[in-house]
């Protein structure tokens, strides 16, 4: 599997290159050069019997070539990304009936935010490559509340000597609970700073920092990496929970996995649409997802 920029060009990149760069050198975003196909017979029927970490491995294997991460290491990454004792529900994402609809609860992770589910995988992938390459990596993050705590908790948990994080949040514009999640972590791998301004005001300086070093992003022997929703690792990991939810819905409704005559519509609260992108990619790959409805508020 190779990756390319949304702005075109002929060059293709490895998964590792796309993951660490965040933005493509032409200021576009990285996407798979082609999407793998998911079928009922070869995938969904078998996947319906898997645990969440096993499903994550099966999905990631489609996007990461074995020459970059072998089977054993990828399985280990997925196991470490979804430890049973870090999630307060054994199914990771329970699906519950509410009136005529169903609700997928994505808040059972360590920071009570759906971003725990995808962020932990991204952090463990970065830690793996940093260790293999023997290079120090500093993650740069801007947060308006959810991304920061999930990333801080994951970086602290992985405790990789080569992986650290700097989180920036707008002073007075996140909840007290989220601020405490960020500022009460005592970790040598974590730095948290506040700034004056709006929630998106750090996006430009972080983007310029990353793009200014696209060809040689090592500064002082340390590589800078961004993991907000523009990083391809985020939607790839989020594909997993869309497939998981679809499979749980198929069970509840008595649908054969992959039945294209029984589409499942999904309503998703969204901001930067990274999570929605994961659902859309799953749909394009062949998962019988019907309508994807994006719910936004004034912050979106």
């Amino acid at each position: 599997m190779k990756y390319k920029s949304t702005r075109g060009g002929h060059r293709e990149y490895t998964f590792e290159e796309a993951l660490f760069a965040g933005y493509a050198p032409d200021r576009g975003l990285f996407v798979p050069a082609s999407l793998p196909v998911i079928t009922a017979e070869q995938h969904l029927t078998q996947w319906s019997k898997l645990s969440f970490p096993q499903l994550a491995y099966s999905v990631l294997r489609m996007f990461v070539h074995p020459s970059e991460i072998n089977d054993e290491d990828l399985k280990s990454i997925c196991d470490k990304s979804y430890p049973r004792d870090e999630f307060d529900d054994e199914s990771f994402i329970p699906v519950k009936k509410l009136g005529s609809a169903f609700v997928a609860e994505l808040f059972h992770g360590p920071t009570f935010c759906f971003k725990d589910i995808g962020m932990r995988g991204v952090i463990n992938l970065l830690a793996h490559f940093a260790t293999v390459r023997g290079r120090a990596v500093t993650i740069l993050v801007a947060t308006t509340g959810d991304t920061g705590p999930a990333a801080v908790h994951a970086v602290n948990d992985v405790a990789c000597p080569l992986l650290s994080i700097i989180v920036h949040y707008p002073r007075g514009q996140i909840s007290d609970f989220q601020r405490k999640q960020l500022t009460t972590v005592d970790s040598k791998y974590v730095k948290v700073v506040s700034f004056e301004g709006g929630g998106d005001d750090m996006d430009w300086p972080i983007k310029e920092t990353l793009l200014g070093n696209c060809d040689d992003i090592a500064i002082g022997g340390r590589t800078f990496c961004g993991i907000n929703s523009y990083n391809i690792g985020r939607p790839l990991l989020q594909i997993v929970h869309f497939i998981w939810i679809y499979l749980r819905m198929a069970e509840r409704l008595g649908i054969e996995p992959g039945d294209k005559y029984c589409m499942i519509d999904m309503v998703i609260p969204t901001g930067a649409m990274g999570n929605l992108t994961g659902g859309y990619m799953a749909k394009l790959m062949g998962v019988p997802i019907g309508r994807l409805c994006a719910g936004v508020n004034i912050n979106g």
Side-chain angles (χ1 to χ4, degrees):
M1 173 63 71
K2 296 292 185 180
Y3 295 82
K4 63 181 182 181
S5 171
T6 52
R7 296 191 177 183
H10 299 292
R11 182 178 172 185
E12 293 185 341
Y13 299 79
T14 65
F15 174 74
E16 180 183 0
E17 289 173 329
L19 183 73
F20 274 92
Y23 292 102
D26 61 6
R27 309 180 82 85
L29 303 180
F30 283 111
V31 292
S34 62
L35 282 175
V37 175
I38 293 174
T39 66
E41 297 78 12
Q42 292 183 324
H43 303 100
L44 294 176
T45 299
Q46 298 177 40
W47 288 356
S48 65
K49 304 176 180 66
L50 300 180
S51 67
F52 197 90
Q54 289 170 334
L55 178 62
Y57 164 78
S58 297
V59 173
L60 276 181
R61 184 75 290 167
M62 304 178 82
F63 290 98
V64 184
H65 195 274
S67 64
E68 293 196 74
I69 306 178
N70 63 39
D71 288 347
E72 182 180 355
D73 287 341
L74 190 58
K75 287 177 181 176
S76 176
I77 288 168
C78 292
D79 287 340
K80 289 186 291 187
S81 299
Y82 307 102
R84 179 62 194 85
D85 60 350
E86 287 285 344
F87 288 79
D88 65 12
D89 190 282
E90 63 182 9
S91 67
F92 294 91
I93 304 172
V95 177
K96 299 182 179 179
K97 196 172 188 343
L98 182 65
S100 61
F102 290 83
V103 176
E105 296 182 347
L106 288 88
F107 53 77
H108 290 276
T111 69
F112 314 107
C113 170
F114 87 92
K115 293 183 180 178
D116 286 321
I117 301 168
M119 184 66 74
R120 298 176 70 83
V122 173
I123 297 301
N124 276 288
L125 286 165
L126 289 171
H128 169 80
F129 284 121
T131 301
V132 168
R133 302 298 182 194
R135 62 176 177 177
V137 179
T138 297
I139 299 167
L140 304 178
V141 175
T143 185
T144 52
D146 288 342
T147 298
V152 163
H153 195 282
V155 170
N156 187 49
D157 270 6
V158 75
C160 174
L162 294 170
L163 192 67
S164 60
I165 186 170
I166 304 174
V167 179
H168 310 78
Y169 73 92
R171 184 177 299 133
Q173 296 188 36
I174 66 175
S175 71
D176 282 343
F177 177 69
Q178 290 167 324
R179 178 181 57 79
K180 289 175 182 177
Q181 283 183 310
L182 289 172
T183 58
T184 59
V185 175
D186 183 14
S187 172
K188 63 182 180 181
Y189 309 111
V190 175
K191 298 291 183 184
V192 179
V193 295
S194 63
F195 63 90
E196 297 288 347
D200 297 328
D201 287 352
M202 279 302 298
D203 292 349
W204 182 85
I206 288 178
K207 183 174 184 177
E208 291 304 307
T209 297
L210 299 176
L211 286 170
N213 300 279
C214 272
D215 295 327
D216 181 12
I217 56 177
I219 300 178
R222 183 169 291 273
T223 296
F224 290 91
C225 173
I227 55 166
N228 281 91
S229 56
Y230 52 78
N231 188 301
I232 185 60
R234 293 280 299 280
L236 293 188
L237 266 299
Q238 288 162 340
I239 288 172
V240 180
H241 69 246
F242 279 98
I243 297 175
W244 177 267
I245 292 166
Y246 166 78
L247 292 172
R248 301 293 76 80
M249 283 298 301
E251 289 175 355
R252 296 291 294 270
L253 298 175
I255 298 170
E256 286 294 323
D259 186 344
K260 295 183 179 179
Y261 297 100
C262 297
M263 297 283 191
I264 305 296
D265 295 335
M266 298 188 184
V267 180
I268 308 153
T270 190
M273 296 194 178
N275 189 34
L276 187 70
T277 299
Y280 186 57
M281 291 172 71
K283 177 180 172 71
L284 291 178
M285 291 165 68
V287 180
I289 296 172
R291 289 190 179 95
L292 285 166
C293 177
V296 299
N297 61 14
I298 193 171
N299 294 321

